[in-house]
Amino acid sequence: MAAQDDAPFLRIEGVSKSFGTFEAVKNVSLTVGKGEIFSLLGGSGCGKTTLLRMLAGFETPTKGRIFLDGHDMAAVPPWERPVHMMFQSYAIFPHMTVEANVGYGLKHEVGLSKADRAARVAAMLDLVQLSPFAKRKPHQISGGQRQRVALARALARQPKLLLLDEPLAALDKKLREHTQFELMSIQERTGVTFIVVTHDQEEAMTLSDRIAVMDKGEVRQVGTPTEVYESPSSRFVAGFIGSVNSFEATVVGREASHLRLDVPALGGEVLTRDMPGLVAGQNVSLAVRPEKLRITKDRPEGPNCLAGHVKDLAYFGKDSLYRIALPGALVQAHAVNARRGDEGARIADWDDAVWVSFDPSSAIVLVD
Ligand code: ATP
């Protein structure tokens, strides 16, 4: 986990970018600490790559300023920025060996002797565990190894900031999961600040110290993976990160440290975590994650108990995903299977009558 200095390493201040009349990035302000893995997460066309390209200097902001290590980047051309961008396609040269690819960007580095260059390449190959493949050509190594060649080449330049545009998109799902951890370990060993563009929320959650969730050119929320998952600030973020059951609701009032909501789809009132500033009569949304819904055969003690039956289920071994029909809603619940010997046993089966309940502290109230 990255340490945050007092002065942020990267400061983006009110940055916008228009292409003609279309505003692709709208008034984005962000700070990133030295050594952080920070992700820009959002759907296609939300402005992630445009923001990344402005950091690299390939695009000029229409408005706003970018400071890197205390320096205003406005007048600094891409090649003079301590920034390197790793493209989705990796752009490694097919006719060059792995080591020649890694050393390519160092050819013109002033003051670097041939021996220093060879030593730097060797160190980078060691870092990404490709030393035994140094003499191979890109077509003689796997997709995951090619990704590491691109990473080694980018890091060989010793950038202060590495920008990675969908770094794992070219890999299949299994390799992607494995490579995520490698990427994190390499980042940790080098201490270089990484900004990763991705549309894959699981990837962002796994890789990042913090995430900026973007939508239509705007940053909707910035936080740690836990913060954006457990305390989304809007319906958009709640729905974008993970699955969620959400319902229209009206605030009834406060009770001890909880909020009482009327939720017609759930057939009455429920208790939720409190949220300051809400008043009786206000329309809000109630959001509950599938894994926060408990399923039991017997009615549990406590508030927020709803009677329903199992409409559908998918068994995944250690857990199961249920669709439970309540009188006014169909909800998704994700439950760990009970252990019976070495076999995972389902809590309930198709058509079983069940109770669905949730803790007030796990129920999220959203206004936006
Ligand atoms: P994706 O995940 O699909 O790559 P993205 O979030 O990276 O999407 P951007 O590439 O930043 O999105 O594009 C944001 C918006 O700006 C899109 O609607 C895109 O069509 C538009 N855009 C990007 N570059 C230009 C350009 N040079 N001229 C005109 N419009 C552009």
Side-chain angles (χ1 to χ4, degrees):
M1 184 62 71
Q4 288 252 14
D5 290 345
D6 289 331
F9 174 64
L10 171 69
R11 196 163 91 238
I12 302 174
E13 248 182 40
V15 163
S16 300
K17 177 69 187 177
S18 298
F19 297 106
T21 54
F22 177 71
E23 203 173 19
V25 172
K26 299 175 190 165
N27 195 27
V28 167
S29 293
L30 286 176
T31 58
V32 177
K34 207 178 179 73
E36 260 195 299
I37 302 188
F38 189 94
S39 291
L40 301 173
L41 171 68
S44 183
C46 73
K48 316 178 286 290
T49 303
T50 305
L51 187 55
L52 206 67
R53 289 173 60 81
M54 287 193 277
L55 298 178
F58 301 143
E59 302 281 2
T60 310
T62 315
K63 265 193 248 153
R65 298 197 300 175
I66 295 167
F67 294 90
L68 189 63
D69 224 359
H71 302 286
D72 190 339
M73 291 289 111
V76 184
W79 57 90
E80 283 179 13
R81 296 186 184 201
V83 176
H84 195 91
M85 184 150 167
M86 195 177 113
F87 294 96
Q88 212 179 97
S89 60
Y90 312 149
I92 55 178
F93 300 112
H95 61 286
M96 285 185 188
T97 61
V98 164
E99 68 181 355
N101 264 289
V102 173
Y104 182 77
L106 302 179
K107 273 196 179 152
H108 306 292
E109 201 166 308
V110 182
L112 197 67
S113 70
K114 223 172 159 181
D116 288 345
R117 194 166 81 211
R120 181 112 48 101
V121 169
M124 287 302 123
L125 288 176
D126 186 43
L127 178 72
V128 299
Q129 295 175 318
L130 283 179
S131 305
F133 304 95
K135 303 288 180 208
R136 292 209 191 163
K137 299 273 179 63
H139 74 271
Q140 294 168 316
I141 57 176
S142 71
Q145 289 164 341
R146 279 197 288 275
Q147 196 268 353
R148 271 143 56 194
V149 173
L151 187 63
R153 188 179 58 184
L155 290 169
R157 304 281 304 277
Q158 300 184 324
K160 288 184 177 172
L161 178 63
L162 184 63
L163 309 174
L164 303 104
D165 191 359
E166 303 273 3
L168 307 176
L171 308 178
D172 65 47
K173 189 170 163 22
K174 222 170 178 141
L175 191 54
R176 207 157 60 219
E177 283 165 10
H178 174 72
T179 310
Q180 281 169 3
F181 290 106
E182 270 182 4
L183 206 59
M184 289 159 75
S185 142
I186 290 168
Q187 188 277 339
E188 209 168 297
R189 278 179 280 152
T190 58
V192 173
T193 308
F194 279 20
I195 299 195
V196 179
V197 154
T198 180
H199 64 272
D200 182 332
Q201 46 114 354
E202 275 181 38
E203 188 168 302
M205 299 281 284
T206 310
L207 277 179
S208 320
D209 292 313
R210 287 188 307 142
I211 301 172
V213 183
M214 294 185 67
D215 178 37
K216 301 191 191 83
E218 287 179 273
V219 169
R220 300 293 301 266
Q221 187 171 1
V222 180
T224 62
T226 312
E227 283 164 357
V228 292
Y229 187 83
E230 298 290 343
S231 305
S233 61
S234 62
R235 274 173 256 218
F236 174 80
V237 174
F240 194 77
I241 309 256
S243 310
V244 74
N245 297 293
S246 56
F247 315 95
E248 297 305 315
T250 311
V251 177
V252 176
R254 287 207 160 68
E255 220 163 88
S257 55
H258 296 130
L259 204 61
R260 183 172 282 281
L261 301 184
D262 178 35
V263 189
L266 300 182
E269 296 183 358
V270 301
L271 290 180
T272 70
R273 59 168 96 152
D274 198 2
M275 198 176 147
L278 295 182
V279 292
Q282 192 167 344
N283 292 329
V284 293
S285 287
L286 166 70
V288 190
R289 300 281 185 199
E291 73 280 10
K292 309 281 183 185
L293 288 178
R294 270 188 308 267
I295 302 169
T296 48
K297 287 288 185 62
D298 299 320
R299 185 184 174 123
E301 296 285 320
N304 304 341
C305 296
L306 308 154
H309 70 271
V310 177
K311 178 119 182 25
D312 230 333
L313 70 84
Y315 177 75
F316 298 116
K318 80 176 188 343
D319 47 27
S320 295
L321 185 65
Y322 297 85
R323 288 207 306 159
I324 312 275
L326 303 174
L330 197 59
V331 295
Q332 272 199 33
H334 206 161
V336 175
N337 295 324
R339 292 258 144 221
R340 195 187 289 152
D342 276 332
E343 259 174 65
R346 286 194 289 271
I347 297 167
D349 238 311
W350 275 270
D351 296 326
D352 278 359
V354 288
W355 287 91
V356 173
S357 58
F358 57 93
D359 199 273
S361 65
S362 66
I364 307 159
V365 182
L366 299 165
V367 181
D368 201 2

